[in-house]
Amino acid sequence: MKFLKTYALEIAMTLPLFIYILGFTVLPVFVNVRDSFIDERFGRRKALLETRIREIKTDMAAADGQEETRELTEEMAGAERDFAVLLSSGSGWSFSNYMKLFSDRVFRTSVSNTMIITGLGLVVQLVLAMTL
């Protein structure tokens, strides 16, 4: 507590900077790393199921008979069950994005070109620096 009383002004002055760095630098990096492990098919399947559930609800509101309502209720239960399975923990997480990335010839060529250019640049800089 004594520390807070002693350094209250310093903490108050630096707190906005820490919040800014956390919100605009650290948090987006963690979110992007997390999202990079989510299979792209997961998002499509989720959107399709959400759309299907909305359509079933609309159809249920306009249903004429009891038989049609019962069929739509069963279909809604199935769609909601599929949606719950899709959102279960671990669902959608995979290395498929990275497997696809590292199997891409253009990506591998780009990485090797970047390493070559970086290596050559460092060698040229080292030679020039030692010469000077």
Side-chain angles (χ1 to χ4, degrees):
M1 199 57 153
K2 183 178 178 184
F3 176 81
L4 288 176
K5 287 181 182 178
T6 306
Y7 296 106
L9 181 62
E10 290 84 353
I11 292 171
M13 294 296 217
T14 58
L15 190 61
L17 175 65
F18 287 122
I19 292 171
Y20 176 83
I21 290 172
L22 180 70
F24 290 104
T25 306
V26 176
L27 188 62
V29 168
F30 286 125
V31 169
N32 284 316
V33 168
R34 181 201 65 196
D35 289 348
S36 72
F37 288 102
I38 296 176
D39 190 357
E40 65 183 17
R41 294 170 294 185
F42 174 79
R44 289 189 209 128
R45 177 99 171 113
K46 182 181 175 198
L48 287 172
L49 281 171
E50 287 172 341
T51 302
R52 185 65 192 140
I53 289 172
R54 273 195 310 272
E55 289 173 355
I56 294 171
K57 286 180 181 177
T58 304
D59 291 345
M60 285 176 76
D64 292 338
Q66 213 173 18
E67 181 67 25
E68 186 179 2
T69 303
R70 186 184 60 75
E71 289 174 4
L72 288 170
T73 304
E74 289 175 7
E75 192 175 347
M76 174 68 94
E80 288 175 340
R81 186 174 46 252
D82 291 345
F83 194 72
V85 168
L86 184 69
L87 295 180
S88 66
S89 63
S91 179
W93 290 80
S94 71
F95 288 100
S96 64
N97 293 337
Y98 289 102
M99 290 169 49
K100 188 168 83 173
L101 181 68
F102 291 118
S103 66
D104 185 12
R105 186 182 55 80
V106 174
F107 175 76
R108 289 193 316 261
T109 304
S110 300
V111 168
S112 64
N113 289 343
T114 301
M115 289 181 176
I116 290 169
I117 290 170
T118 302
L120 289 174
L122 288 173
V123 168
V124 169
Q125 287 179 19
L126 178 68
V127 169
L128 286 174
M130 292 301 169
T131 303
L132 291 175

